[in-house]
Amino acid sequence: MFIDSLIDKIKETNNPTVVGLDPKIEYVPLKIREKAFNTYSKNLKGCSEAIFEFNKRIIDAIADIVPALKLQLAYYELYGIYGMEVLLKTINYGRNKGLLIICDGKRNDIGSTAEAYSSAYLGKVNIDEDVHETVFDADALTVNPFLGYDGISPFINDCSKYGKGIFVLVKTSNKSSGQLQDLLTHQGKSVYEIIAELVDEWGKSLIGKSGYSSVGAVVGATYPNQAKILRKIMKQS
């Protein structure tokens, strides 16, 4: 189960933080960029190869001191098919170094499309009647709850089936999050409190030996007062 693996890695490294690999070509050191551009030219392929080399060096430096990597999918999609290839190579490289992999894509849609997202990142793709393959095979994925349970249930099903995890957006760190998340409902509770209650309910079937659930929450540290409220609601996330 994902949550137990995560907690075991946190204890092993004595470190609850993760390293985010959110690469853009301008973040890559000049020497690495120049080498990639000389080999592949100044194009999307060259950018992607430079990013992968930089990712590998970061992973080599931190693999024994953190439990997990968080890969922001947008920065890989930015470089097209080459960027997505680097995403997969980075996932495999990090996993081979013993790291858990969290893909940050904030995915969601109606049921059938959510199933496709979940199959790509957490589950398996059906090729034929008895043939199934993994694609990105992350350990966990961030998801958006805005469509309600039928947009979340495919991810929960794959978490149960394949030992994966999800992190549901509850109270995000951006400045304008309050425009929606802080609104009061007819119940007298904020939207983020209602989402937290749903997360707590959705996660009850995925509680591990640690007492925590593989259905986690995204709560921005920029709002510490709300975080205290949310911890009381989501005691097992």
Side-chain angles (χ1 to χ4, degrees):
M1 184 172 282
F2 166 73
I3 188 60
D4 291 331
S5 297
L6 178 60
I7 289 176
D8 286 345
K9 287 293 292 183
I10 289 171
K11 290 178 179 177
E12 177 187 325
T13 57
N14 194 31
N15 189 347
T17 62
V18 303
V19 168
L21 293 180
D22 306 351
K24 293 179 74 174
I25 191 60
E26 51 264 41
Y27 302 160
V28 177
L30 182 59
K31 285 187 177 180
I32 297 176
R33 271 186 281 162
E34 287 179 341
K35 183 177 180 180
F37 288 159
N38 287 336
T39 304
Y40 301 100
S41 297
K42 290 184 178 180
N43 51 29
L44 294 176
K45 175 69 171 175
C47 289
S48 299
E49 291 299 328
I51 286 168
F52 182 49
E53 179 62 29
F54 191 37
N55 281 356
K56 288 192 295 181
R57 295 190 188 192
I58 293 172
I59 292 169
D60 289 344
I62 54 84
D64 60 346
I65 60 174
V66 299
L69 298 174
K70 185 183 77 69
L71 309 180
Q72 171 50 259
L73 301 184
Y75 288 100
Y76 298 89
E77 294 170 0
L78 179 63
Y79 298 99
I81 187 64
Y82 302 112
M84 298 309 287
E85 289 175 351
V86 166
L87 172 66
L88 181 57
K89 290 194 292 185
T90 300
I91 289 171
N92 291 335
Y93 193 84
R95 177 166 289 126
N96 288 337
K97 293 287 184 175
L99 294 162
L100 293 171
I101 308 297
I102 302 168
C103 281
D104 187 1
K106 302 173 180 68
R107 296 298 197 246
N108 194 262
D109 212 308
I110 61 170
S112 59
T113 312
E115 285 180 12
Y117 279 134
S118 186
S119 295
Y121 285 97
L122 302 177
K124 294 183 179 181
V125 174
N126 295 329
I127 307 298
D128 202 350
E129 186 174 344
D130 297 315
V131 181
H132 314 281
E133 288 189 15
T134 58
V135 184
F136 294 107
D137 197 25
D139 295 296
L141 179 70
T142 59
V143 299
N144 189 325
F146 194 70
L147 278 73
Y149 183 69
D150 61 353
I152 292 292
S153 60
F155 300 99
I156 292 177
N157 291 340
D158 279 340
C159 286
S160 178
K161 188 174 182 180
Y162 299 106
K164 306 291 188 170
I166 55 174
F167 291 92
V168 182
L169 301 184
V170 176
K171 176 59 182 171
T172 57
S173 60
N174 56 305
K175 291 181 180 179
S176 63
S177 66
Q179 289 181 325
L180 290 176
Q181 296 164 16
D182 292 358
L183 291 175
L184 290 180
T185 68
H186 68 283
Q187 301 174 18
K189 301 175 182 177
S190 65
V191 170
Y192 69 77
E193 288 174 294
I194 297 294
I195 296 172
E197 290 174 354
L198 291 172
V199 168
D200 185 63
E201 181 64 30
W202 294 340
K204 287 181 178 178
S205 64
L206 289 171
I207 295 173
K209 64 182 181 181
S210 60
Y212 288 95
S213 174
S214 288
V215 177
V218 176
V219 177
T222 47
Y223 298 103
N225 292 331
Q226 288 91 332
K228 291 177 183 178
I229 294 169
L230 292 169
R231 172 45 76 199
K232 291 179 181 178
I233 298 172
M234 301 180 292
K235 293 182 173 65
Q236 295 177 302
S237 291

